[in-house]
């Protein structure tokens, strides 16, 4: 049996613009997807526990791309504590843990770049047009600046970060990326890139005030491209009035009332503002490691 776990992620700055080659900053978080895979001698089928359409596709695609010889059937067990479809990298973490578990079972060990490319192809089934950011963060861990498929490591930010899950959006990431595209003029893309560059600088200087300013500016831009539903805009406005900075993380939603994860950066307690809307708020920690062998 081989068992691998891969972290989820939060995009701290630059979602949507990253799809068009602009910079983004994302961080692996202490939420994980795990895949255990074992050979099943005497069987020729693939048995699943918690397998989704995407995980089945990820396994089939890895087996065929790596030309894995299948002496018998398999049993695959998926386990995850990353909320699904909420911009926290659940799909990417599942894909990464599956690619590594089946490779390891077949004693195949390829460079990380190979898995980044294959993972992005698999994620495209879901996204349509994945930037590859989620897959890279889940593979490599830590905090990364990502631009045009290239990654640069950054230290894990030492700022007080919280996540509020506003619920699973009614539309998919792919639909949301397509809906936002019409607003993303070259001047708006430049604005996104400028905010992410300032954010990157502020993070390296650990300048909390400037980090919060960048998050507020990023939220304005995300609102302009129509991916922040009205109730979430109102929630973020209230957080801002109380001194926090907040933005959606990930695709957000161009329809419906829920936008998945909202990142909140604050030194104050925002529990009451979240509770008023029935949301829960939890502290989030970055993790330095990416995909790991936990076969024991
Ligand atoms: O909502 P998520 O975690 O799937 O993130 C999507 C981020 C986008 O920039 C909108 C798309 C992408 O592939 O980078």
């Amino acid at each position: 049996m081989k068992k691998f776990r891969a972290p989820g992620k939060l995009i701290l700055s630059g979602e949507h613009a990253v799809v068009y080659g602009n910079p983004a900053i994302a961080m692996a978080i202490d939420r994980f997807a795990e895949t255990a895979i074992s050979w099943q001698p005497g069987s020729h089928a693939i048995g699943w526990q918690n397998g989704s359409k995407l995980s089945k596709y990820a396994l089939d695609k890895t087996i065929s791309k790596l030309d894995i010889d299948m002496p018998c059937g398999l049993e695959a067990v998926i386990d995850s504590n990353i909320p699904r479809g909420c911009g926290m990298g659940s799909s990417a973490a599942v894909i990464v843990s599956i690619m590594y578990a089946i490779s390891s079972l077949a004693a195949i060990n390829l460079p990380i770049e190979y898995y980044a490319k294959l993972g992005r192809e698999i994620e495209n089934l879901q996204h349509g047009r994945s930037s590859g950011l989620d897959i890279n963060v889940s593979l490599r861990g830590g905090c990364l600046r990502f631009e045009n498929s290239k990654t640069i490591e950054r230290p894990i930010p030492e700022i007080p970060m919280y996540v509020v899950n506003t619920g699973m959006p009614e539309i998919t990431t792919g639909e949301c990326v397509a809906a936002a595209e019409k607003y993303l003029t070259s001047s708006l893309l430049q604005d996104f890139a400028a905010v992410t560059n300032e954010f990157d600088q502020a993070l390296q200087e650990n300048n909390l005030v400037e980090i919060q300013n960048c998050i507020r500016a990023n939220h304005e831009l995300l609102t302009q491209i129509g991916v922040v539903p009205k109730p979430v805009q109102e929630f973020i406005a209230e957080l801002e009035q109380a001194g926090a900075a907040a933005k959606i993380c990930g695709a957000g939603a161009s329809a419906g009332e829920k936008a998945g994860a909202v990142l909140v950066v604050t030194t104050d307690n925002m529990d009451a503002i979240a509770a008023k809307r029935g949301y829960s708020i939890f502290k989030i920690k970055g993790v330095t490691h990416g995909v790991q062998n936990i076969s024991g």
Side-chain angles (χ1 to χ4, degrees):
M1 190 271 285
K2 294 292 177 189
K3 194 172 183 180
F4 279 73
R5 79 170 193 177
K9 65 96 201 20
L10 285 181
I11 301 178
L12 306 180
S13 187
E15 50 273 269
H16 286 284
V18 68
V19 175
Y20 309 96
N22 294 282
I25 313 275
M27 178 183 84
I29 56 170
D30 56 349
R31 294 275 177 139
F32 302 92
E34 290 182 4
T35 298
I37 299 190
S38 48
W39 296 121
Q40 295 293 298
S43 147
H44 285 287
I46 299 182
W48 284 93
Q49 277 180 46
N50 303 325
S52 62
K53 188 174 152 206
L54 182 71
S55 41
K56 289 176 186 166
Y57 179 74
L59 184 60
D60 287 348
K61 185 101 181 168
T62 311
I63 291 171
S64 69
K65 274 273 171 159
L66 271 54
D67 212 4
I68 292 175
D69 190 28
M70 298 278 286
C72 60
L74 292 170
E75 172 79 4
V77 182
I78 314 282
D79 201 7
S80 170
N81 65 2
I82 310 168
R84 280 178 66 177
C86 294
M88 294 173 74
S90 144
S91 303
V94 166
I95 293 169
V96 166
S97 63
I98 289 175
M99 292 190 302
Y100 272 70
I102 183 65
S103 298
S104 173
L105 193 68
I108 293 171
N109 189 3
L110 294 164
I112 198 165
E113 291 75 22
Y114 184 92
Y115 292 102
K117 189 163 169 284
L118 174 60
R120 185 176 180 184
E121 276 173 44
I122 297 169
E123 205 183 25
N124 269 333
L125 172 81
Q126 184 125 319
H127 271 203
R129 191 170 181 173
S130 157
S131 64
L133 172 63
D134 294 26
I135 293 284
N136 269 281
V137 176
S138 192
L139 281 168
R140 298 168 197 273
C143 183
L144 299 178
R145 179 186 166 105
F146 184 88
E147 192 169 2
N148 275 323
S149 303
K150 291 204 178 58
T151 55
I152 304 175
E153 279 176 36
R154 294 284 186 247
I156 301 257
E158 284 171 25
I159 51 171
M161 280 180 288
Y162 300 82
V163 164
V164 174
N165 188 355
T166 65
M168 191 163 159
E170 282 161 32
I171 61 165
T172 64
T173 294
E175 288 166 337
C176 197
V177 167
E181 189 179 0
K182 62 177 176 291
Y183 298 104
L184 283 163
T185 57
S186 58
S187 101
L188 214 48
L189 285 171
Q190 275 173 23
D191 292 347
F192 270 104
V195 164
T196 296
N197 284 329
E198 280 163 33
F199 180 79
D200 191 12
Q201 185 70 33
L203 268 188
Q204 290 176 66
E205 290 163 2
N206 216 16
N207 181 339
L208 183 60
V209 171
E210 196 45 36
I211 287 170
Q212 288 181 315
N213 285 339
C214 291
I215 288 177
R216 291 184 192 113
N218 199 343
H219 166 62
E220 281 304 314
L221 293 172
L222 290 163
T223 305
Q224 280 183 48
I225 64 167
V227 296
V228 191
K230 268 269 140 48
V232 178
Q233 286 181 36
E234 285 159 17
F235 172 54
I236 291 178
E238 200 174 339
L239 291 168
E240 286 182 349
Q241 271 157 28
K247 64 175 270 292
I248 57 143
C249 289
S254 53
E257 307 209 316
K258 294 172 273 184
V262 167
L263 169 73
V264 185
V265 174
T266 180
T267 48
D268 301 315
N269 188 315
M270 299 289 149
D271 289 1
I273 297 175
K276 217 163 70 181
R277 289 175 167 78
Y279 300 148
S280 51
I281 180 163
F282 53 95
K283 193 147 198 206
I284 207 86
K285 238 179 67 198
V287 290
T288 51
H289 49 79
V291 61
Q292 280 180 307
N293 186 348
I294 52 162
S295 309

